[in-house]
Amino acid sequence: MSETSRIETAEIADADLDNIAGGLSVGGDVEGLKANFAQGPNGLPVLTDGSIDSVSITVKDIPLGLS
């Protein structure tokens, strides 16, 4: 059984996003990334298969107006 964290969501109005001074701060971590590539058209690499153990994303500096 896997352990998952609770995900909180909230809608943000376009006007609120337009008024954010300095923009958003976005960060995150990826653990256990494995990827296999093959040569594709014009010699460009094409992802054939892969896996990720865990991903976390943090977004800051959004005024949600929640109390």
Side-chain angles (χ1 to χ4, degrees):
M1 179 181 213
S2 68
E3 207 174 293
T4 57
S5 300
R6 181 177 166 209
I7 298 174
E8 295 183 24
T9 62
E11 289 190 29
I12 303 168
D14 288 340
D16 291 338
L17 288 175
D18 291 341
N19 293 325
I20 295 174
L24 302 175
S25 298
V26 179
D29 293 304
V30 175
E31 293 185 25
L33 174 63
K34 298 173 187 168
N36 294 311
F37 296 89
Q39 187 172 351
N42 300 320
L44 297 174
V46 175
L47 179 65
T48 57
D49 66 291
S51 64
I52 297 174
D53 291 338
S54 68
V55 175
S56 67
I57 298 173
T58 304
V59 180
K60 296 180 182 179
D61 299 331
I62 299 176
L64 297 177
L66 303 174
S67 9

